[in-house]
């Protein structure tokens, strides 16, 4: 093999490999995504660490669909579209992978959810888990008027300031 052919051969192999990788990337983008979560349905689960939203037709189905791998997710809170923890108009559940217990102090804030997506201004009751409490905010990015810290409340209208159908973002501690 001549000197020129020996030099061109590695370049040809690299170009071919790059073309194969490009085709594989396009195939992954166009393939129906098993990794892409369903975001239709009235009951949604937001996983803080994975930063993904999974929705389904029931709270249980949404939670099951959002679980990935062998490590179970821990529910930190669930907001309900109805008073008295009713689920007929939807739910918004916040999870983290593995186990997590919130600190007993409100400061520092452990998690801030800056936007509630389709559940904005829909929460009518809320329940927290694993020693967590929630503070609701009128505006996105945890700004505007805020509620007091809430552990569980069957009717958010009974909170000071009336918080049913009002929250756009929240903090967890």
């Amino acid at each position: 093999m001549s000197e020129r052919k020996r030099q061109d051969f590695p370049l040809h192999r690299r170009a071919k490999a790059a073309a194969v990788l490009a085709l594989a990337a396009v195939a992954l983008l166009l393939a129906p995504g098993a990794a892409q979560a369903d975001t239709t349905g009235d009951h949604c689960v937001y996983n803080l660490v994975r930063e993904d939203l999974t929705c389904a037709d029931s709270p249980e189905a949404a939670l099951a669909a959002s679980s990935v791998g062998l490590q179970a997710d821990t529910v930190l809170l669930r907001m309900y579209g109805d008073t008295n923890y009713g689920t007929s108009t939807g739910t918004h559940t916040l999870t983290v992978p593995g186990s997590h217990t919130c600190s007993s102090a409100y400061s520092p804030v452990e998690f801030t959810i800056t936007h509630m997506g389709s559940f904005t201004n829909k929460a009518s009751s809320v329940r927290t888990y694993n020693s967590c409490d929630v503070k609701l905010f009128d505006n996105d990015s945890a700004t505007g008027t805020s509620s007091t810290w809430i552990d569980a409340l069957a009717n958010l209208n009974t909170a000071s300031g009336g918080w049913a159908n009002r929250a756009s973002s929240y903090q967890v501690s």
Side-chain angles (χ1 to χ4, degrees):
M1 200 178 256
S2 73
E3 186 64 35
R4 177 151 173 78
K5 286 186 180 179
R6 269 189 245 148
Q7 290 173 350
D8 290 345
F9 184 71
L11 293 176
H12 174 69
R13 203 173 349 163
R14 281 188 251 155
K16 191 174 184 180
V20 168
L21 288 173
L23 284 173
V26 169
L28 284 174
L29 290 174
L30 296 177
Q36 294 178 3
D38 185 7
T39 56
T40 60
D42 292 329
H43 304 278
C44 297
V45 174
Y46 182 74
N47 184 290
L48 261 168
V49 174
R50 290 190 308 265
E51 295 183 352
D52 65 50
L53 182 71
T54 304
C55 302
D57 292 332
S58 73
E60 297 78 19
L63 198 54
S66 75
S67 296
V68 174
L70 300 174
Q71 190 175 33
D73 288 346
T74 298
V75 174
L76 300 182
L77 72 83
R78 180 170 285 157
M79 293 185 195
Y80 301 82
D82 303 320
T83 58
N84 299 314
Y85 314 111
T87 62
S88 68
T89 60
T91 59
H92 171 87
T93 305
L94 180 69
T95 66
V96 294
S99 64
H100 181 82
T101 301
C102 290
S103 67
S104 59
Y106 297 132
S107 182
V109 169
E110 292 177 57
F111 307 107
T112 297
I113 304 305
T114 60
H115 184 68
M116 294 172 56
S118 64
F119 212 72
T120 296
N121 299 329
K122 290 186 179 178
S124 293
S125 56
V126 64
R127 181 173 284 153
T128 62
Y129 303 92
N130 298 301
S131 301
C132 296
D133 292 306
V134 63
K135 181 184 271 194
L136 308 173
F137 290 84
D138 269 333
N139 302 326
D140 288 346
S141 302
T143 61
T145 304
S146 64
S147 70
T148 58
W149 287 99
I150 300 168
D151 178 43
L153 195 55
N155 184 347
L156 286 172
N157 259 342
T158 63
S160 179
W163 279 90
N165 304 317
R166 185 174 166 186
S168 295
S169 61
Y170 60 92
Q171 293 179 329
V172 176
S173 186

